[in-house]
């Protein structure tokens, strides 16, 4: 059931080398040093941050932040090769028996099997091993509390500079100072924060009422919740597609052009990056939503990838549904985000 939770959440969606002992940093104080230079950073943001975002609050998050994964897998005597291999083995075969983060498994469940190439995981793990990882404001106190209760690994390499006094434990996404980030990064953060809020509400629906009821949630609540996040972040946040499930998510001409651009990137094995369009006083940022094997259970071929009961529910809720028939690693739509400079 929890794998299904992550599945549907996945459907919603989208530096320079430094020594291993470099201090971890809070998400609010990322410097330009940590922004550029290593392909693993962009891959981590693209493939991991939908669930492992550093900006989601402790209550709203869908999975532990990447800094927690690093601290549990990296000890004082862990070589880079061993660290990379451990990451690859976990992604290839995530099971409760193979887990190192037992508390995370109890809270979030075992992550679903994701079909990412080994070389992608290698680049992400290589970046994690050598570089600073974004750290939520609340994380240091949380991690130290876990060690105090005998739940921490005790050998984590981080020197974390969190306040450690618990004052940030309930910090919400909107409080992170996104306005200091480059426009492309800022737009992506708005998208990830919106995913987290959608995810929190969706999880509650699935746990209480089941997967089919989650389709009702998507039909009735997803659009208003996205609008509410637009208000929180003082931005226009939309999920749009050339083949929408909900007619309200139909892409306009400019968005259709960007969808086609992202499709060409994926077709040519180019890692997508945000498209940033600047006007005099405002910015539009676009980022792709791509499918994977899990997504096909709601967006694949009816009665093949999509379960017959789900097909019936989709036909009832979305009689003009176009968001089916996808294959793995295709662009299903984009995040379209607009905000003032």
């Amino acid at each position: 059931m929890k794998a299904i939770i992550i599945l549907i959440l996945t459907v919603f969606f989208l530096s320079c080398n430094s020594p291993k002992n470099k201090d971890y940093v809070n998400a609010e104080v990322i410097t330009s040093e940590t922004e550029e230079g290593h392909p693993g950073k962009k891959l981590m943001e693209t493939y991991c941050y939908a669930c492992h975002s550093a900006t989601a609050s402790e209550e709203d998050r869908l999975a532990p932040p990447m800094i927690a994964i690093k601290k549990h897998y990296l000890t004082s005597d862990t070589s880079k090769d061993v660290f990379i291999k451990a990451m690859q083995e976990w992604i290839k075969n995530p099971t409760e028996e193979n887990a190192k983060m037992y508390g995370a498994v109890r809270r979030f469940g075992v992550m679903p099997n994701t079909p990412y190439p080994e070389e992608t995981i290698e680049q992400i793990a290589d970046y994690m091993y050598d570089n600073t990882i974004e750290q939520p404001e609340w994380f240091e106190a949380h991690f130290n509390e876990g060690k105090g209760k005998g739940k921490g690994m005790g050998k984590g390499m981080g020197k974390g500079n969190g306040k450690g006094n618990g004052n940030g434990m309930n910090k919400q996404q909107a409080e992170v100072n996104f306005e200091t980030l480059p426009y492309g990064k800022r737009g992506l953060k708005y998208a990830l924060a919106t995913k987290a809020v959608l995810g929190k509400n969706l999880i509650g629906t699935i746990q209480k009422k089941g997967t089919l009821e989650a389709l009702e949630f998507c039909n009735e609540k997803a659009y208003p919740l996205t609008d509410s996040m637009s208000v929180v972040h003082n931005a226009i946040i939309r999920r749009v597609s050339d083949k929408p499930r909900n007619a309200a998510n139909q892409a306009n001409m400019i968005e259709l052009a960007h969808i086609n651009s992202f499709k060409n990137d994926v077709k040519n094995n180019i890692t997508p990056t945000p498209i940033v369009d600047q006007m005099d006083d405002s910015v539009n940022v676009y980022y792709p939503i791509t499918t994977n094997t899990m997504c096909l259970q709601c967006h694949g071929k009816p009665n093949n990838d999509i379960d017959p009961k789900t097909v019936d529910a989709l036909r009832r809720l979305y009689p003009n549904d176009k968001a089916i028939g996808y294959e793995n690693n295709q662009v299903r739509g984009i995040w379209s985000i607009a905000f003032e400079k």
Side-chain angles (χ1 to χ4, degrees), residues 305-340:
D305 303 309
I306 308 176
D307 180 86
K309 290 185 179 180
T310 304
V311 171
D312 290 341
L314 287 171
R315 287 172 177 167
R316 174 174 56 84
L317 294 170
Y318 304 97
N320 298 313
D321 182 17
K322 299 178 183 179
I324 56 175
Y326 286 97
E327 298 179 358
N328 187 41
N329 197 34
Q330 291 186 328
V331 175
R332 189 179 70 79
I334 59 173
W335 286 94
S336 177
I337 301 173
F339 49 86
E340 294 182 355

Side-chain angles (χ1 to χ4, degrees), residues 12 14 187 190-191 194 198 223 226-227 229-230 235-241 246-256 284-287 289 333-338:
F12 276 152
L14 280 135
Y190 286 157
T194 305
L198 288 169
Y223 203 86
T226 302
D227 281 347
M229 290 301 290
S230 295
I236 300 173
I237 303 174
R238 302 170 61 233
R239 293 174 297 123
V240 300
S241 176
N246 185 331
N249 298 119
Q250 174 65 52
N252 61 33
M253 294 301 295
I254 294 175
E255 292 162 342
L256 287 172
N284 288 82
V285 178
Y286 307 92
Y287 199 79
I289 301 169
I334 59 173
W335 286 94
S336 177
I337 301 173

Side-chain angles (χ1 to χ4, degrees), residues 2 74 232:
K2 290 188 177 180
L74 182 58
V232 168

Side-chain angles (χ1 to χ4, degrees), residues 96-161:
E96 188 169 353
E97 293 73 24
N98 293 337
K100 292 179 181 284
M101 302 177 69
Y102 305 114
V105 169
R106 285 194 299 271
R107 177 179 174 184
F108 304 109
V110 177
M111 70 176 290
N113 198 329
T114 50
Y116 298 141
E118 284 195 357
E119 55 269 27
T120 296
I121 306 306
E122 179 179 358
Q123 287 185 308
I124 293 172
D126 184 270
Y127 173 80
M128 290 175 65
Y129 187 92
D130 282 331
N131 292 276
T132 297
I133 303 295
E134 295 176 75
Q135 176 172 305
E137 174 72 17
W138 52 265
F139 175 74
E140 194 68 28
H142 172 83
F143 185 78
N144 290 334
E145 180 183 5
K147 288 196 296 183
K149 294 179 179 179
K151 298 177 183 178
M153 296 296 289
K155 296 181 180 180
M157 295 300 295
K159 299 178 183 178
N161 62 352

Side-chain angles (χ1 to χ4, degrees), residues 29-154:
V29 292
I30 307 167
T31 68
S32 59
E33 269 193 307
T34 64
E35 290 295 323
E36 305 293 340
H38 196 299
K41 184 177 190 296
K42 180 57 65 178
L43 290 171
M44 182 174 68
E45 292 172 345
T46 301
Y47 295 113
C48 306
Y49 273 18
C51 296
H52 298 276
S53 170
T55 57
S57 71
E58 188 182 18
E59 293 81 7
D60 289 340
R61 63 182 319 99
L62 314 177
M66 296 304 289
I67 179 62
I69 296 171
K70 177 170 181 172
K71 283 200 170 189
H72 281 82
Y73 276 82
L74 182 58
T75 67
S76 59
D77 56 355
T78 303
S79 69
K80 182 183 288 190
D81 288 343
V82 169
F83 181 74
I84 291 174
K85 184 178 180 181
M87 293 290 101
Q88 290 174 327
E89 289 179 348
W90 169 251
I91 297 299
K92 185 184 300 183
N93 185 32
T95 66
E96 188 169 353
E97 293 73 24
N98 293 337
K100 292 179 181 284
M101 302 177 69
Y102 305 114
V105 169
R106 285 194 299 271
R107 177 179 174 184
F108 304 109
V110 177
M111 70 176 290
N113 198 329
T114 50
Y116 298 141
E118 284 195 357
E119 55 269 27
T120 296
I121 306 306
E122 179 179 358
Q123 287 185 308
I124 293 172
D126 184 270
Y127 173 80
M128 290 175 65
Y129 187 92
D130 282 331
N131 292 276
T132 297
I133 303 295
E134 295 176 75
Q135 176 172 305
E137 174 72 17
W138 52 265
F139 175 74
E140 194 68 28
H142 172 83
F143 185 78
N144 290 334
E145 180 183 5
K147 288 196 296 183
K149 294 179 179 179
K151 298 177 183 178
M153 296 296 289

